[in-house]
Amino acid sequence: MLAKVLSGTTIGLDGVLITVEVDVAERGFPGFTIVGLPDKSVDEAKERVRAAIVNTSFEMPDTRLTINLAPADIHKIGSAFDLPIAIGILAAAGMVKKDQLKKSLFVGELSLEGEVRKVPGVLSISLLARSKKINQIFVPWANVTEAALVDGIEIFPVNALAELILHLNAEILLTQYPHQEQKNHVSYEDNYLFENIKGQATAKRACEIAAAGFHNIIFKGPPGTGKTLLSRAFPSILPDLDKEEILEITKIYSVTGLIKDSQYISQRPFRSPHHTISRIGLVGGGSHPAPGEVSLAHRGVLFLDEFSEFPRTVLEALRQPLEDGIITISRAQGSLTFPCRFLLLAASNPCPCGYLGHPKKSCRCLPGAILKYKKRLSGPLLDRIDLHVDVPPVLEGDLMTDTLSESSEIIRGRVLRARNKQKQRFKNSKIYTNAEMGTSEIKKFCRLSSQALNLLKQAISRLSLSARSYFKTIKIAQTITDLDGKEIIESEAVAEALQFRSHDD
């Protein structure tokens, strides 16, 4: 007998519908064959499914079984096909009714005793089910929260194979899980708040501008001046995610299997990879391309501490993602594109010993070593960073005072007001923030006063600004104008934006 069960897998971040065709032959030697370009992890499903069916007190057909995963030209990876294969075998053998199979989709890994375990990519598969007008989807209990983010379909969480069989045979019905609205659950560590940071008024102002316009920023200074502390406190002034952003980010984390405690992503990502990370680990890739840190930081922050210690080949791979907000990974099997619109936050020392330019400690590095250290960061990469901030040692008076600095909550309020202005400005476009503006958007939305234009002309000639630096300066000045609540970019905003350009400019 023949049975067909709908399932799904992911290619990149998108779900793909897979039909599990099961044939239980009436004649022939006992056997169990899976075809349709399965990976080793899919082929091992034979033993998991066999043990799960037997340990659920059902009889495994003692004849030739052939499982086809269609379409056969797509490489199948993972253990999510365990549950649909088991249901297909039981349906083909006449132990499960086929009434609901045509309008239902099944995903889940089986344990040897029949429990249904968590699998990656359930959010993408749920979105696929809705687009294909499939009424019901059966998912593991551990994945139900992310599946419930998708409305318009019926979600049924499954704990064990036995209860799903009883449900399909209309003996004991499973409880439908309600659709869940996305909500923000934001929490910050008390040690990483701006009110606890002594001094560094210029660096804090740069953080506020970066958060308001989603501009990339680099801190340069001696060790112990607060570069890492400023970076760790940075998420506390970022605005909350909206519903569309929650779905975008959760889909990435769902595919990579990084959603913990059955929760969706409700807080902006803050990724901080070690400087020994590989290029593939940073931008993504592998034999079966997967998202890297730049995609995991989508709509959030990618913090690269000890920026100059990262291998140059790794850093140079950031050029295109910083510019385009997407990363395309090409392999022999095909090309996949992942989103990576992140805010780069970097921290670096001025030299190998760290004390070049320190007012009280002398640098012990040779000139050749300093030059070699600075060459680790290429000009084109630094040109893509909007705000270059020098972080000097904290003054004694600032360090010893008991007075708290301006709180993260107050700064965040100003950032939210600036973001709301940008939201209104770009409501009819596909961009969110000033940093995402292209040349056409800058010409359309950025209005400069005559004094601001004159100052920019002088800056181009005296500072030898590149075309990229010129437009970045206008975008930063627009963010400063939004923070000040003004409509026209004045010369003061341009002057403040210019002070955050690289010293090479």
Side-chain angles (χ1 to χ4, degrees), residues 474-494:
I474 294 177
K475 288 191 280 188
I476 297 168
Q478 181 64 66
T479 300
I480 294 169
T481 303
D482 292 339
L483 285 167
D484 294 339
K486 298 178 180 178
E487 300 299 327
I488 298 176
I489 300 173
E490 302 289 350
S491 57
E492 293 82 4
V494 174

Side-chain angles (χ1 to χ4, degrees), residues 151-228:
D151 59 351
I153 57 173
E154 299 175 2
I155 309 293
F156 290 94
V158 183
N159 264 324
L161 176 61
E163 66 180 31
L164 177 56
I165 295 170
L166 292 173
H167 173 85
L168 295 174
N169 288 333
E171 296 180 25
I172 299 177
L173 297 182
L174 294 172
T175 304
Q176 180 183 340
Y177 198 86
H179 168 63
Q180 186 170 352
E181 287 291 337
Q182 302 96 318
K183 296 179 181 179
N184 288 292
H185 305 287
V186 182
S187 61
Y188 308 109
E189 294 186 41
D190 292 338
N191 293 328
Y192 297 132
L193 295 173
F194 273 74
E195 52 261 42
N196 298 326
I197 302 175
K198 306 293 185 180
Q200 305 299 5
T202 302
K204 289 177 182 177
R205 173 63 174 172
C207 286
E208 182 178 341
I209 295 169
F214 212 67
H215 300 287
N216 301 317
I217 181 172
I218 182 171
F219 294 123
K220 303 174 186 176
T225 55
K227 301 187 299 296
T228 302

Side-chain angles (χ1 to χ4, degrees), residues 380-427:
L381 177 61
L382 291 175
D383 199 42
R384 285 168 166 81
I385 299 177
D386 306 340
L387 303 169
H388 295 251
V389 186
D390 289 323
V391 186
V394 184
L395 299 174
E396 293 88 343
D398 292 332
L399 193 60
M400 300 299 293
T401 184
D402 293 331
T403 305
L404 290 176
S405 303
E406 191 175 35
S407 70
S408 292
E409 187 176 355
I410 294 174
I411 298 173
R412 188 166 173 266
R414 293 197 295 268
V415 169
L416 283 172
R417 286 193 291 273
R419 283 289 185 99
N420 287 332
K421 287 178 71 69
Q422 294 167 57
K423 187 176 181 180
Q424 289 298 317
R425 181 181 299 134
F426 306 127
K427 61 183 178 181

